[in-house]
Amino acid sequence: MRQLPVIPPEGYTPEDIKFISDRVLELVYTAWDMQPFAKDIGYDGEPFIWNSNRRALLRAELDAYYAKLYGLTRDELRYILDPADIYGADFPSETFRVLKNNEMKQFGEYRTQRLVLEAWDRMFR
């Protein structure tokens, strides 16, 4: 178990847990059938409205936050999101080709990359 690249439970601060659980709650609790989960983590309100743009922002914040928890720098995160962003268009490796291609078609940009890096900049610069 110690060889797996996971953060052990004791590696999370109370602030980490609050940040993560607030976002996970909003991503998961979008229907009444998830109410037991919401109550288990101390939330007694109504389900959150499904908003695709809001969900993308929440996921981006979680991605940036976890990158920081794993000790990555902003440039290392950029590399993970798109190695060509660091090494140029001729770089022979890709990480999220399907996601990038789908977002280029749908949004005219690699939206996930932009949102994650914007979240990083808001939280860690």
Side-chain angles (χ1 to χ4, degrees), residues 31-43:
W32 286 108
D33 59 341
M34 293 303 294
Q35 188 178 37
F37 167 76
K39 286 188 175 198
D40 281 349
I41 62 171
Y43 182 77

Side-chain angles (χ1 to χ4, degrees), residues 34-111:
M34 293 303 294
Q35 188 178 37
F37 167 76
K39 286 188 175 198
D40 281 349
I41 62 171
Y43 182 77
D44 197 31
E46 294 186 2
F48 292 88
I49 295 170
W50 186 283
N51 177 316
S52 296
N53 290 330
R54 172 77 178 148
R55 294 174 64 77
L57 291 172
L58 293 169
R59 289 190 312 266
E61 288 178 351
L62 286 168
D63 287 344
Y65 200 85
Y66 264 97
K68 188 69 166 179
L69 286 176
Y70 275 98
L72 299 178
T73 66
R74 187 180 191 280
D75 281 341
E76 289 168 334
L77 178 56
R78 282 178 55 212
Y79 173 81
I80 289 169
L81 290 166
D82 188 5
D85 190 41
I86 299 287
Y87 293 108
D90 292 341
F91 192 73
S93 178
E94 292 181 284
T95 49
F96 299 106
R97 177 189 303 192
V98 173
L99 174 64
K100 182 179 176 180
N101 289 346
N102 287 344
E103 289 189 354
M104 293 300 290
K105 288 176 190 168
Q106 185 175 0
F107 305 113
E109 67 169 331
Y110 184 13
R111 184 179 76 159

Side-chain angles (χ1 to χ4, degrees), residues 8-40:
E10 63 273 8
Y12 292 95
T13 67
E15 294 80 20
D16 295 334
I17 293 168
K18 173 101 174 89
F19 182 91
I20 294 163
S21 63
D22 286 352
R23 283 150 184 83
V24 169
L25 171 68
E26 191 170 340
L27 288 168
V28 172
Y29 186 35
T30 58
W32 286 108
D33 59 341
M34 293 303 294
Q35 188 178 37
F37 167 76
K39 286 188 175 198
D40 281 349

